[in-house]
């Protein structure tokens, strides 16, 4: 029983030490990679803005339809 506990404690200690290891820093990006990343981010932002506008238009249309059906102005 004591051996099992000692092995588990040693394994936990080794695991804790391994978790402290650091990864090397990523290589620097070239100007082309930076430009491509910025272009992709801009395209994603534009797409999300268009989807948000479409969802807002749908909500407004639903509100107007249901609000008028309930006899309210």
């Amino acid at each position: 029983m004591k051996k099992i506990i000692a092995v588990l404690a040693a394994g936990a200690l080794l695991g804790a030490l391994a978790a402290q290891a650091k990864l090397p820093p990523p290589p620097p990006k070239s100007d082309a990679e930076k430009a491509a990343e910025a272009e992709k981010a801009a395209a994603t932002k534009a797409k999300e803005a268009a989807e948000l506008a479409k969802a807002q238009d749908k909500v407004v249309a639903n509100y107007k339809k249901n609000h008028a059906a309930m006899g309210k102005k």
Side-chain angles (χ1 to χ4, degrees):
M1 182 73 173
K2 289 184 181 181
K3 284 185 180 182
I4 293 173
I5 293 174
V7 169
L8 288 175
L13 181 62
L14 287 174
L17 291 175
Q20 298 295 330
K22 291 187 178 181
L23 294 174
K29 294 183 180 181
S30 67
D31 291 339
E33 290 174 333
K34 289 178 185 177
E37 188 175 308
E39 184 178 323
K40 184 177 178 184
T44 302
K45 187 174 181 180
K47 181 182 175 190
E48 288 175 353
E51 290 174 354
L52 176 63
K54 183 178 177 182
Q56 288 173 336
D57 290 343
K58 186 176 177 181
V59 168
V60 168
N62 185 36
Y63 173 80
K64 286 180 180 177
K65 181 180 95 177
N66 291 329
H67 203 66
M70 291 196 293
K72 298 179 182 176
K73 271 192 169 184

